[in-house]
Amino acid sequence: MWSALLKRPAMSGHELLLGLSVAASAIGYIASTRNNNNNNNTMSRIADPIADVPEYIRTHKYPAKAHNATVRSHLATALQEKAAEVDSAAFLIAGNNVEPNKYCDTFKQFRQERYFFYLSGVDIPGAALFYECKTQTLSLFLPEIDWDDVVWGGMPTEPKEALEKYDVDAVYYMSELNNVLAQCRDNYNCLYTTDCDNFAPLKLAQEFQDLVVPGDAQFFLALDESRLIKDQYEIEILRHVARITDNAHVAVMSALPIEINELHLEAEFSYHAKRQGARTLGYDPICCSGPACGTLHYVKNSESLAHKQSTLIDAGAEWMNYVSDVTRCFPLSGTYTKEHRAIYDAVRDMQAQTMALMKPGASWEQLHELSHRILIKHLRQLGILRANEFSEEQMFESRVSCAFYPHGLGHLMGLDVHDVGGRPNYADPDPYFQYLRLRRPLQCGMVLTNEPGCYFNEHLVDEFLKKHPERAKMVDFEVMERYKHVGGVRIEDDILITKEGYENLTGVTSDPAEVEKIVQAGLKKGRAGFHAVV
Protein backbone atom coordinates (compact mmCIF):
# COMPACT_ATOMS: atom_id res chain seq x y z
CA MET A 1 0.00 0.00 0.00
CA TRP A 2 2.90 2.36 0.78
CA SER A 3 4.39 2.29 -2.71
CA ALA A 4 0.98 2.54 -4.28
CA LEU A 5 0.18 5.65 -2.28
CA LEU A 6 3.40 7.32 -3.36
CA LYS A 7 2.72 6.69 -7.05
CA ARG A 8 -0.90 7.84 -7.06
CA PRO A 9 -1.93 11.27 -8.43
CA ALA A 10 -3.09 14.07 -6.12
CA MET A 11 -5.77 12.74 -3.74
CA SER A 12 -9.19 14.00 -2.86
CA GLY A 13 -10.19 14.63 0.74
CA HIS A 14 -12.05 11.31 0.77
CA GLU A 15 -8.96 9.44 -0.38
CA LEU A 16 -6.88 11.09 2.32
CA LEU A 17 -9.23 9.67 4.91
CA LEU A 18 -8.35 6.23 3.66
CA GLY A 19 -4.87 6.93 5.01
CA LEU A 20 -6.27 6.20 8.46
CA SER A 21 -5.96 2.53 7.67
CA VAL A 22 -2.23 2.57 6.98
CA ALA A 23 -1.04 3.43 10.50
CA ALA A 24 0.70 0.21 11.39
CA SER A 25 2.36 -0.27 8.02
CA ALA A 26 3.45 3.37 7.84
CA ILE A 27 4.99 3.32 11.31
CA GLY A 28 6.75 0.08 10.50
CA TYR A 29 8.08 1.47 7.25
CA ILE A 30 9.47 4.59 8.86
CA ALA A 31 11.08 2.59 11.66
CA SER A 32 12.71 0.21 9.19
CA THR A 33 13.97 2.84 6.73
CA ARG A 34 15.05 5.59 9.11
CA ASN A 35 18.80 6.18 8.99
CA ASN A 36 19.68 4.72 12.38
CA ASN A 37 23.39 4.29 11.76
CA ASN A 38 25.76 3.34 14.54
CA ASN A 39 27.17 6.84 14.81
CA ASN A 40 23.74 8.21 15.66
CA ASN A 41 22.78 5.55 18.17
CA THR A 42 26.01 4.66 19.95
CA MET A 43 28.17 7.77 19.54
CA SER A 44 30.97 5.29 18.86
CA ARG A 45 33.40 7.66 17.17
CA ILE A 46 34.83 11.09 17.81
CA ALA A 47 33.51 13.70 15.39
CA ASP A 48 35.99 15.60 13.24
CA PRO A 49 34.51 18.95 12.15
CA ILE A 50 36.96 19.14 9.23
CA ALA A 51 37.16 15.58 7.94
CA ASP A 52 33.40 15.05 8.31
CA VAL A 53 32.48 17.84 5.88
CA PRO A 54 30.65 16.20 2.94
CA GLU A 55 32.71 15.63 -0.18
CA TYR A 56 30.24 17.61 -2.30
CA ILE A 57 30.66 20.69 -0.10
CA ARG A 58 34.45 20.40 -0.16
CA THR A 59 34.58 20.19 -3.95
CA HIS A 60 31.95 22.76 -4.92
CA LYS A 61 31.37 26.45 -4.27
CA TYR A 62 28.14 27.71 -2.81
CA PRO A 63 26.09 28.38 -6.01
CA ALA A 64 25.62 32.12 -5.57
CA LYS A 65 25.41 32.98 -9.28
CA ALA A 66 22.81 30.29 -9.89
CA HIS A 67 20.77 31.64 -6.97
CA ASN A 68 20.87 35.16 -8.41
CA ALA A 69 19.83 33.81 -11.81
CA THR A 70 16.90 32.00 -10.20
CA VAL A 71 15.77 35.19 -8.48
CA ARG A 72 16.10 37.02 -11.82
CA SER A 73 13.88 34.39 -13.45
CA HIS A 74 11.24 34.58 -10.71
CA LEU A 75 11.33 38.38 -10.84
CA ALA A 76 10.61 38.26 -14.57
CA THR A 77 7.60 36.04 -13.87
CA ALA A 78 6.39 38.29 -11.05
CA LEU A 79 6.63 41.42 -13.19
CA GLN A 80 4.63 39.74 -16.00
CA GLU A 81 3.96 42.42 -18.63
CA LYS A 82 7.02 44.32 -17.35
CA ALA A 83 9.28 41.30 -17.78
CA ALA A 84 11.49 43.15 -20.22
CA GLU A 85 12.46 45.50 -17.41
CA VAL A 86 14.34 42.72 -15.63
CA ASP A 87 17.36 43.08 -17.90
CA SER A 88 17.55 46.74 -17.00
CA ALA A 89 17.66 45.99 -13.27
CA ALA A 90 20.39 45.05 -10.80
CA PHE A 91 20.55 43.80 -7.23
CA LEU A 92 22.50 45.67 -4.58
CA ILE A 93 22.35 44.11 -1.13
CA ALA A 94 24.45 44.76 1.97
CA GLY A 95 25.14 42.06 4.51
CA ASN A 96 24.95 42.47 8.25
CA ASN A 97 27.61 44.22 10.31
CA VAL A 98 29.03 43.25 13.68
CA GLU A 99 26.99 45.06 16.33
CA PRO A 100 28.43 46.20 19.66
CA ASN A 101 26.79 45.63 23.00
CA LYS A 102 25.84 48.83 24.77
CA TYR A 103 28.26 50.43 27.20
CA CYS A 104 31.07 47.89 26.84
CA ASP A 105 33.66 46.69 24.37
CA THR A 106 32.05 43.34 23.51
CA PHE A 107 29.91 42.47 20.51
CA LYS A 108 26.69 40.64 19.73
CA GLN A 109 27.03 37.24 18.09
CA PHE A 110 27.22 37.82 14.34
CA ARG A 111 24.42 36.40 12.19
CA GLN A 112 24.56 37.01 8.46
CA GLU A 113 21.47 38.45 6.77
CA ARG A 114 19.83 35.46 5.12
CA TYR A 115 18.87 36.96 1.76
CA PHE A 116 22.40 38.30 1.39
CA PHE A 117 23.86 34.90 2.19
CA TYR A 118 21.51 33.14 -0.26
CA LEU A 119 22.72 35.44 -3.07
CA SER A 120 26.41 35.39 -2.13
CA GLY A 121 27.37 32.46 0.11
CA VAL A 122 29.48 34.99 2.02
CA ASP A 123 29.55 35.11 5.82
CA ILE A 124 31.88 38.12 6.11
CA PRO A 125 30.50 41.03 8.16
CA GLY A 126 30.12 44.34 6.34
CA ALA A 127 30.20 42.91 2.81
CA ALA A 128 27.91 43.79 -0.11
CA LEU A 129 26.95 42.25 -3.46
CA PHE A 130 26.07 43.71 -6.85
CA TYR A 131 24.36 41.57 -9.51
CA GLU A 132 23.63 42.81 -13.05
CA CYS A 133 20.60 41.04 -14.51
CA LYS A 134 21.59 41.91 -18.11
CA THR A 135 25.09 40.43 -17.99
CA GLN A 136 24.36 38.05 -15.07
CA THR A 137 27.59 39.21 -13.46
CA LEU A 138 28.04 38.99 -9.69
CA SER A 139 30.48 41.23 -7.83
CA LEU A 140 31.42 41.10 -4.16
CA PHE A 141 32.54 44.11 -2.12
CA LEU A 142 34.58 43.64 1.04
CA PRO A 143 35.00 46.14 3.89
CA GLU A 144 38.23 48.10 3.93
CA ILE A 145 41.07 46.71 5.99
CA ASP A 146 41.14 48.20 9.48
CA TRP A 147 44.79 47.97 10.44
CA ASP A 148 44.03 48.44 14.13
CA ASP A 149 41.85 45.33 13.96
CA VAL A 150 44.60 43.45 12.14
CA VAL A 151 46.91 43.97 15.15
CA TRP A 152 44.48 42.09 17.36
CA GLY A 153 42.65 39.71 15.01
CA GLY A 154 44.92 39.14 12.03
CA MET A 155 44.31 39.85 8.36
CA PRO A 156 40.73 39.60 7.05
CA THR A 157 39.81 37.88 3.79
CA GLU A 158 41.41 39.71 0.86
CA PRO A 159 39.93 40.05 -2.68
CA LYS A 160 42.19 37.42 -4.28
CA GLU A 161 41.33 34.89 -1.58
CA ALA A 162 37.62 35.70 -1.82
CA LEU A 163 37.60 35.31 -5.60
CA GLU A 164 38.96 31.77 -5.22
CA LYS A 165 36.58 30.86 -2.41
CA TYR A 166 33.25 32.30 -3.56
CA ASP A 167 31.14 31.91 -6.69
CA VAL A 168 31.57 35.49 -7.91
CA ASP A 169 33.00 37.17 -11.01
CA ALA A 170 34.90 39.95 -9.28
CA VAL A 171 35.87 41.10 -5.79
CA TYR A 172 36.58 44.70 -4.76
CA TYR A 173 36.97 46.76 -1.63
CA MET A 174 33.98 48.89 -0.64
CA SER A 175 35.76 52.10 -1.63
CA GLU A 176 35.52 50.95 -5.27
CA LEU A 177 31.73 50.47 -5.25
CA ASN A 178 30.75 53.82 -6.77
CA ASN A 179 33.32 53.43 -9.55
CA VAL A 180 32.07 49.94 -10.42
CA LEU A 181 28.44 51.10 -10.43
CA ALA A 182 29.41 53.97 -12.73
CA GLN A 183 31.26 51.72 -15.17
CA CYS A 184 28.18 49.48 -15.51
CA ARG A 185 25.65 52.32 -15.60
CA ASP A 186 24.36 51.46 -19.10
CA ASN A 187 23.27 48.00 -17.90
CA TYR A 188 20.66 49.02 -15.31
CA ASN A 189 18.18 51.74 -14.37
CA CYS A 190 17.18 50.51 -10.90
CA LEU A 191 18.87 48.80 -7.97
CA TYR A 192 16.62 46.33 -6.17
CA THR A 193 17.46 45.71 -2.51
CA THR A 194 15.79 44.20 0.54
CA ASP A 195 16.27 47.28 2.73
CA CYS A 196 18.80 50.02 3.38
CA ASP A 197 19.49 49.21 7.02
CA ASN A 198 23.15 48.33 6.35
CA PHE A 199 23.78 50.84 3.56
CA ALA A 200 25.77 53.45 5.51
CA PRO A 201 29.19 51.75 4.96
CA LEU A 202 28.49 51.64 1.20
CA LYS A 203 28.73 55.47 0.96
CA LEU A 204 26.64 55.49 -2.20
CA ALA A 205 26.83 58.54 -4.43
CA GLN A 206 23.53 60.40 -4.73
CA GLU A 207 23.02 59.37 -8.36
CA PHE A 208 22.96 55.70 -7.26
CA GLN A 209 20.95 56.33 -4.11
CA ASP A 210 18.20 57.69 -6.37
CA LEU A 211 18.06 54.33 -8.20
CA VAL A 212 17.70 52.16 -5.09
CA VAL A 213 14.33 50.34 -4.78
CA PRO A 214 14.03 48.89 -1.24
CA GLY A 215 11.32 46.54 -0.01
CA ASP A 216 9.71 45.91 -3.40
CA ALA A 217 6.98 43.26 -3.05
CA GLN A 218 7.78 41.59 -6.37
CA PHE A 219 11.48 41.39 -5.51
CA PHE A 220 10.72 39.76 -2.17
CA LEU A 221 8.35 37.34 -3.90
CA ALA A 222 11.15 36.39 -6.30
CA LEU A 223 13.58 35.91 -3.40
CA ASP A 224 11.15 33.75 -1.44
CA GLU A 225 10.15 31.60 -4.41
CA SER A 226 13.83 31.01 -5.13
CA ARG A 227 14.59 29.95 -1.55
CA LEU A 228 11.55 27.64 -1.54
CA ILE A 229 13.22 24.93 -3.65
CA LYS A 230 16.60 23.70 -2.46
CA ASP A 231 19.39 22.82 -4.92
CA GLN A 232 21.90 20.00 -4.52
CA TYR A 233 24.38 22.11 -2.56
CA GLU A 234 21.74 23.21 -0.07
CA ILE A 235 20.45 19.66 0.29
CA GLU A 236 23.94 18.39 1.11
CA ILE A 237 24.26 21.08 3.79
CA LEU A 238 20.87 20.14 5.24
CA ARG A 239 21.74 16.44 5.26
CA HIS A 240 24.93 17.21 7.16
CA VAL A 241 23.30 19.48 9.74
CA ALA A 242 20.64 16.80 10.21
CA ARG A 243 23.35 14.26 11.09
CA ILE A 244 24.85 16.70 13.59
CA THR A 245 21.44 17.17 15.16
CA ASP A 246 20.83 13.40 15.29
CA ASN A 247 23.97 12.82 17.31
CA ALA A 248 23.25 15.70 19.66
CA HIS A 249 19.76 14.36 20.41
CA VAL A 250 21.12 10.89 21.13
CA ALA A 251 23.69 12.47 23.43
CA VAL A 252 20.93 14.15 25.43
CA MET A 253 18.93 10.92 25.72
CA SER A 254 22.05 9.04 26.80
CA ALA A 255 23.33 11.35 29.51
CA LEU A 256 20.58 11.50 32.14
CA PRO A 257 22.97 10.62 35.00
CA ILE A 258 24.56 14.07 34.57
CA GLU A 259 21.37 15.92 33.63
CA ILE A 260 19.46 17.05 36.70
CA ASN A 261 18.08 20.29 35.28
CA GLU A 262 16.50 21.35 31.99
CA LEU A 263 19.51 23.58 31.36
CA HIS A 264 21.68 20.47 31.40
CA LEU A 265 19.65 19.12 28.46
CA GLU A 266 20.37 22.29 26.52
CA ALA A 267 24.04 22.23 27.50
CA GLU A 268 24.47 18.62 26.40
CA PHE A 269 22.86 19.31 23.03
CA SER A 270 24.86 22.47 22.40
CA TYR A 271 28.14 20.83 23.45
CA HIS A 272 27.76 17.90 21.06
CA ALA A 273 26.63 20.15 18.21
CA LYS A 274 29.73 22.31 18.62
CA ARG A 275 32.01 19.26 18.75
CA GLN A 276 30.71 18.37 15.29
CA GLY A 277 31.35 21.82 13.83
CA ALA A 278 28.03 23.56 14.46
CA ARG A 279 29.13 26.67 16.32
CA THR A 280 25.56 27.92 16.64
CA LEU A 281 22.09 26.46 16.94
CA GLY A 282 19.24 27.14 14.56
CA TYR A 283 17.07 28.63 17.32
CA ASP A 284 16.82 28.77 21.09
CA PRO A 285 16.29 25.16 22.21
CA ILE A 286 13.08 24.13 23.93
CA CYS A 287 14.07 21.85 26.82
CA CYS A 288 11.17 21.10 29.15
CA SER A 289 10.05 18.45 31.58
CA GLY A 290 6.81 17.19 33.11
CA PRO A 291 3.77 19.46 32.71
CA ALA A 292 5.97 22.12 31.07
CA CYS A 293 6.14 19.86 27.99
CA GLY A 294 2.69 21.24 27.21
CA THR A 295 4.12 24.73 26.59
CA LEU A 296 4.78 24.86 22.85
CA HIS A 297 7.61 27.42 22.83
CA TYR A 298 8.91 26.91 26.36
CA VAL A 299 11.73 29.36 27.11
CA LYS A 300 12.71 28.84 30.76
CA ASN A 301 14.95 25.77 30.37
CA SER A 302 15.76 26.08 34.05
CA GLU A 303 13.54 23.74 36.08
CA SER A 304 14.71 20.65 37.96
CA LEU A 305 14.04 17.24 36.38
CA ALA A 306 13.39 15.74 39.82
CA HIS A 307 10.02 14.07 40.30
CA LYS A 308 9.19 14.46 36.58
CA GLN A 309 8.37 11.57 34.27
CA SER A 310 8.57 13.09 30.81
CA THR A 311 10.80 15.43 28.88
CA LEU A 312 10.64 17.15 25.49
CA ILE A 313 13.61 18.63 23.66
CA ASP A 314 13.08 20.64 20.48
CA ALA A 315 16.52 21.61 19.21
CA GLY A 316 18.43 21.82 15.96
CA ALA A 317 22.00 22.62 14.98
CA GLU A 318 23.02 25.27 12.46
CA TRP A 319 25.81 24.68 9.95
CA MET A 320 26.81 26.99 7.09
CA ASN A 321 23.78 29.11 8.05
CA TYR A 322 21.32 26.27 7.34
CA VAL A 323 19.37 24.76 10.19
CA SER A 324 17.80 21.57 11.43
CA ASP A 325 14.66 21.36 13.58
CA VAL A 326 14.00 18.11 15.47
CA THR A 327 11.91 17.24 18.51
CA ARG A 328 12.14 14.11 20.63
CA CYS A 329 10.36 13.09 23.84
CA PHE A 330 11.65 10.47 26.24
CA PRO A 331 10.94 9.09 29.73
CA LEU A 332 13.26 10.26 32.47
CA SER A 333 12.98 6.88 34.24
CA GLY A 334 13.83 4.94 31.09
CA THR A 335 10.28 3.59 30.75
CA TYR A 336 7.23 5.47 29.51
CA THR A 337 4.28 5.67 31.86
CA LYS A 338 1.03 4.25 30.51
CA GLU A 339 -0.34 7.73 29.84
CA HIS A 340 2.89 9.03 28.31
CA ARG A 341 3.12 6.04 25.98
CA ALA A 342 -0.53 6.38 24.93
CA ILE A 343 -0.06 10.01 23.90
CA TYR A 344 3.31 9.23 22.32
CA ASP A 345 1.77 6.47 20.19
CA ALA A 346 -1.03 8.81 19.11
CA VAL A 347 1.41 11.48 17.95
CA ARG A 348 3.65 8.95 16.23
CA ASP A 349 0.58 7.62 14.41
CA MET A 350 -0.24 11.16 13.28
CA GLN A 351 3.27 11.59 11.92
CA ALA A 352 3.46 8.19 10.28
CA GLN A 353 0.18 8.45 8.41
CA THR A 354 0.79 11.96 7.13
CA MET A 355 4.38 11.03 6.21
CA ALA A 356 3.09 8.15 4.10
CA LEU A 357 1.21 10.60 1.88
CA MET A 358 3.95 13.20 1.41
CA LYS A 359 4.97 13.67 -2.22
CA PRO A 360 4.91 16.36 -4.92
CA GLY A 361 1.39 17.63 -5.44
CA ALA A 362 0.07 16.57 -2.04
CA SER A 363 -1.98 19.22 -0.25
CA TRP A 364 -0.34 20.22 3.03
CA GLU A 365 -3.65 21.58 4.25
CA GLN A 366 -5.33 18.20 3.69
CA LEU A 367 -2.48 16.39 5.42
CA HIS A 368 -2.85 18.77 8.35
CA GLU A 369 -6.58 18.02 8.52
CA LEU A 370 -5.79 14.31 8.42
CA SER A 371 -3.48 14.69 11.43
CA HIS A 372 -6.38 16.20 13.39
CA ARG A 373 -8.68 13.33 12.42
CA ILE A 374 -6.11 10.81 13.65
CA LEU A 375 -5.69 12.66 16.95
CA ILE A 376 -9.46 12.75 17.44
CA LYS A 377 -9.59 9.00 16.86
CA HIS A 378 -6.96 8.37 19.58
CA LEU A 379 -8.44 10.81 22.09
CA ARG A 380 -11.81 9.10 21.67
CA GLN A 381 -10.23 5.71 22.31
CA LEU A 382 -8.56 7.04 25.47
CA GLY A 383 -11.82 8.49 26.74
CA ILE A 384 -10.52 12.06 26.73
CA LEU A 385 -13.13 12.86 24.10
CA ARG A 386 -16.69 11.61 24.72
CA ALA A 387 -16.99 8.98 21.99
CA ASN A 388 -20.39 7.77 23.20
CA GLU A 389 -22.02 11.16 22.82
CA PHE A 390 -20.43 12.69 19.73
CA SER A 391 -19.25 11.32 16.40
CA GLU A 392 -15.75 11.77 14.96
CA GLU A 393 -17.19 14.05 12.27
CA GLN A 394 -18.92 16.25 14.85
CA MET A 395 -15.65 16.57 16.74
CA PHE A 396 -13.71 17.34 13.58
CA GLU A 397 -16.16 20.04 12.52
CA SER A 398 -16.17 21.57 16.03
CA ARG A 399 -12.35 22.03 16.01
CA VAL A 400 -12.20 20.59 19.54
CA SER A 401 -8.83 18.96 18.77
CA CYS A 402 -7.22 22.42 18.55
CA ALA A 403 -7.34 22.45 22.35
CA PHE A 404 -4.76 19.65 22.27
CA TYR A 405 -2.98 20.44 18.99
CA PRO A 406 -3.10 24.16 18.12
CA HIS A 407 -0.12 24.44 15.78
CA GLY A 408 0.41 23.36 12.20
CA LEU A 409 1.66 20.00 10.99
CA GLY A 410 4.95 21.56 9.95
CA HIS A 411 6.75 24.41 8.21
CA LEU A 412 9.38 25.08 5.57
CA MET A 413 13.00 24.99 6.70
CA GLY A 414 16.35 26.07 5.30
CA LEU A 415 18.31 29.24 6.02
CA ASP A 416 15.70 30.00 8.66
CA VAL A 417 14.00 27.52 10.97
CA HIS A 418 10.65 28.87 9.75
CA ASP A 419 11.74 29.46 6.19
CA VAL A 420 10.18 31.83 3.68
CA GLY A 421 7.75 30.96 0.89
CA GLY A 422 5.06 29.12 2.85
CA ARG A 423 2.29 31.66 2.20
CA PRO A 424 0.69 31.44 5.66
CA ASN A 425 -2.50 33.30 6.50
CA TYR A 426 -2.45 34.19 10.18
CA ALA A 427 -5.74 36.09 9.74
CA ASP A 428 -7.57 32.89 8.79
CA PRO A 429 -10.54 32.59 11.19
CA ASP A 430 -10.43 28.79 11.03
CA PRO A 431 -8.35 27.59 14.01
CA TYR A 432 -7.22 24.57 12.00
CA PHE A 433 -5.33 26.83 9.60
CA GLN A 434 -4.62 30.05 11.48
CA TYR A 435 -1.17 28.89 12.60
CA LEU A 436 -0.37 26.67 9.62
CA ARG A 437 2.84 28.12 8.20
CA LEU A 438 2.65 26.24 4.89
CA ARG A 439 -0.42 26.81 2.70
CA ARG A 440 0.61 25.41 -0.68
CA PRO A 441 0.99 21.98 -2.34
CA LEU A 442 4.25 20.10 -1.80
CA GLN A 443 6.92 20.43 -4.47
CA CYS A 444 10.06 18.46 -5.26
CA GLY A 445 12.99 20.15 -3.52
CA MET A 446 11.04 21.56 -0.59
CA VAL A 447 12.48 20.87 2.86
CA LEU A 448 9.96 20.99 5.68
CA THR A 449 9.20 19.58 9.09
CA ASN A 450 6.58 16.99 9.99
CA GLU A 451 5.80 17.72 13.65
CA PRO A 452 2.38 16.78 15.00
CA GLY A 453 1.79 17.05 18.73
CA CYS A 454 -0.65 16.60 21.58
CA TYR A 455 -0.57 18.83 24.67
CA PHE A 456 -2.32 19.29 28.01
CA ASN A 457 -2.04 22.98 28.74
CA GLU A 458 -4.38 25.09 30.86
CA HIS A 459 -3.99 28.07 28.55
CA LEU A 460 -5.09 25.98 25.58
CA VAL A 461 -8.02 24.68 27.59
CA ASP A 462 -9.03 28.26 28.43
CA GLU A 463 -8.67 29.46 24.86
CA PHE A 464 -10.18 26.59 22.89
CA LEU A 465 -12.57 24.94 25.38
CA LYS A 466 -13.76 27.24 28.16
CA LYS A 467 -14.48 30.02 25.68
CA HIS A 468 -16.37 27.53 23.49
CA PRO A 469 -18.91 25.48 25.49
CA GLU A 470 -19.93 23.60 22.35
CA ARG A 471 -16.43 22.08 22.33
CA ALA A 472 -16.02 21.74 26.09
CA LYS A 473 -18.98 19.39 26.33
CA MET A 474 -17.12 16.94 24.09
CA VAL A 475 -14.25 16.58 26.61
CA ASP A 476 -14.16 14.39 29.70
CA PHE A 477 -12.10 16.64 31.97
CA GLU A 478 -11.80 13.99 34.67
CA VAL A 479 -10.11 11.59 32.27
CA MET A 480 -7.97 14.39 30.82
CA GLU A 481 -6.67 15.17 34.30
CA ARG A 482 -4.82 11.83 34.34
CA TYR A 483 -2.65 12.95 31.41
CA LYS A 484 -1.57 16.35 32.69
CA HIS A 485 1.67 15.00 34.15
CA VAL A 486 2.75 14.14 30.59
CA GLY A 487 2.53 17.80 29.62
CA GLY A 488 2.78 17.12 25.93
CA VAL A 489 4.39 15.12 23.15
CA ARG A 490 5.74 16.37 19.83
CA ILE A 491 7.68 14.27 17.32
CA GLU A 492 9.43 16.30 14.65
CA ASP A 493 11.48 15.19 11.67
CA ASP A 494 13.03 17.13 8.76
CA ILE A 495 11.75 16.03 5.35
CA LEU A 496 12.99 16.56 1.78
CA ILE A 497 10.32 16.19 -0.90
CA THR A 498 11.66 14.10 -3.80
CA LYS A 499 10.31 13.02 -7.18
CA GLU A 500 9.46 9.62 -5.71
CA GLY A 501 7.92 10.93 -2.50
CA TYR A 502 10.19 12.08 0.32
CA GLU A 503 13.49 11.55 2.12
CA ASN A 504 13.56 11.72 5.90
CA LEU A 505 16.72 13.65 6.72
CA THR A 506 16.31 12.93 10.44
CA GLY A 507 18.02 9.74 11.56
CA VAL A 508 17.60 9.67 15.35
CA THR A 509 15.04 7.04 16.23
CA SER A 510 11.53 7.85 17.41
CA ASP A 511 10.63 4.21 18.05
CA PRO A 512 9.58 4.17 21.72
CA ALA A 513 11.26 0.83 22.45
CA GLU A 514 14.55 2.06 20.95
CA VAL A 515 14.27 5.37 22.82
CA GLU A 516 13.82 3.48 26.09
CA LYS A 517 16.91 1.37 25.36
CA ILE A 518 19.04 4.47 24.72
CA VAL A 519 17.87 6.12 27.94
CA GLN A 520 18.27 2.92 29.98
CA ALA A 521 21.79 2.32 28.64
CA GLY A 522 22.79 5.80 29.78
CA LEU A 523 21.20 5.39 33.18
CA LYS A 524 23.01 2.09 33.64
CA LYS A 525 26.38 3.79 33.22
CA GLY A 526 25.75 6.14 36.13
CA ARG A 527 27.54 9.42 36.64
CA ALA A 528 30.95 7.78 36.54
CA GLY A 529 30.33 6.78 32.93
CA PHE A 530 30.40 10.41 31.76
CA HIS A 531 32.94 13.20 31.70
CA ALA A 532 31.36 15.96 33.75
CA VAL A 533 33.59 18.10 35.96
CA VAL A 534 30.52 19.75 37.53
Side-chain angles (χ1 to χ4, degrees), residues 120-395:
S120 69
V122 175
D123 218 15
I124 299 172
L129 66 87
F130 172 60
Y131 179 77
E132 301 173 67
C133 290
K134 183 177 181 179
T135 64
Q136 298 191 45
T137 301
L138 179 61
S139 299
L140 173 66
F141 293 85
L142 301 177
E144 305 298 318
I145 296 176
D146 185 327
W147 293 104
D148 287 337
D149 285 346
V150 171
V151 171
W152 302 104
M155 281 293 293
T157 301
E158 298 181 84
K160 181 180 179 181
E161 179 186 357
L163 188 61
E164 295 176 356
K165 182 176 181 180
Y166 301 114
D167 182 29
V168 296
D169 296 296
V171 183
Y172 307 93
Y173 283 116
M174 199 67 73
S175 59
E176 302 173 83
L177 176 59
N178 284 308
N179 288 336
V180 173
L181 293 179
Q183 293 170 9
C184 307
R185 185 62 188 83
D186 292 340
N187 293 334
Y188 62 92
N189 57 26
C190 71
L191 295 168
Y192 283 107
T193 193
T194 50
D195 58 59
C196 299
D197 292 353
N198 298 320
F199 264 38
L202 274 58
K203 298 180 180 178
L204 278 182
Q206 188 61 50
E207 63 176 301
F208 302 123
Q209 290 184 31
D210 294 341
L211 299 177
V212 173
V213 182
D216 182 78
Q218 304 299 339
F219 183 52
F220 268 103
L221 176 63
L223 286 166
D224 292 352
E225 289 298 297
S226 300
R227 284 174 57 179
L228 177 70
I229 305 301
K230 273 56 178 179
D231 55 38
Q232 187 62 39
Y233 196 99
E234 293 176 289
I235 290 170
E236 292 300 331
I237 294 176
L238 287 163
R239 284 194 179 115
H240 187 64
V241 73
R243 286 191 288 269
I244 292 173
T245 298
D246 287 340
N247 289 328
H249 271 282
V250 172
V252 174
M253 289 184 197
S254 303
L256 279 175
I258 56 171
E259 297 167 344
I260 63 172
N261 185 283
E262 292 166 349
L263 188 58
H264 288 161
L265 305 178
E266 178 180 340
E268 199 72 25
F269 186 95
S270 179
Y271 168 75
H272 281 88
K274 286 180 183 292
R275 283 185 63 88
Q276 298 174 82
R279 291 179 177 270
T280 56
L281 302 183
Y283 52 96
D284 291 335
I286 299 167
C287 302
C288 41
S289 57
C293 296
T295 302
L296 275 63
H297 284 172
Y298 184 76
V299 296
K300 291 176 68 175
N301 292 9
S302 61
E303 296 296 317
S304 171
L305 302 182
H307 312 299
K308 310 285 183 59
Q309 297 172 330
S310 58
T311 190
L312 181 154
I313 174 168
D314 182 336
E318 178 179 297
W319 188 73
M320 285 189 66
N321 289 320
Y322 285 78
V323 306
S324 180
D325 184 6
V326 172
T327 306
R328 287 295 182 266
C329 302
F330 56 92
L332 291 167
S333 69
T335 304
Y336 290 94
T337 65
K338 179 182 177 182
E339 293 80 11
H340 195 186
R341 178 61 183 269
I343 300 304
Y344 191 94
D345 287 345
V347 173
R348 194 159 181 257
D349 192 7
M350 294 162 70
Q351 190 194 53
Q353 291 198 48
T354 53
M355 195 96 77
L357 303 175
M358 291 175 66
K359 64 173 183 176
S363 165
W364 193 243
E365 293 174 349
Q366 289 182 338
L367 291 177
H368 176 65
E369 287 183 313
L370 175 61
S371 68
H372 272 278
R373 290 186 180 275
I374 299 166
L375 178 59
I376 289 170
K377 174 185 174 183
H378 281 273
L379 295 180
R380 284 166 58 88
Q381 291 172 348
L382 295 174
I384 295 172
L385 293 180
R386 298 182 183 276
N388 294 333
E389 301 177 43
F390 302 94
S391 69
E392 288 187 22
E393 193 60 30
Q394 285 177 310
M395 292 176 176

Side-chain angles (χ1 to χ4, degrees), residues 62-78 91 114-115 118-119 218-231 234 322 412-415 419-423 440 443-447:
Y62 185 91
K65 293 182 66 176
H67 287 182
N68 280 271
T70 302
V71 173
R72 174 183 177 276
S73 177
H74 281 296
L75 184 60
T77 301
F91 310 155
R114 286 332 200 214
Y115 288 113
Y118 179 76
L119 294 176
Q218 304 299 339
F219 183 52
F220 268 103
L221 176 63
L223 286 166
D224 292 352
E225 289 298 297
S226 300
R227 284 174 57 179
L228 177 70
I229 305 301
K230 273 56 178 179
D231 55 38
E234 293 176 289
Y322 285 78
L412 295 170
M413 191 188 74
L415 282 166
D419 216 6
V420 297
R423 299 178 183 172
R440 58 195 300 174
Q443 299 178 47
C444 183
M446 281 183 173
V447 175

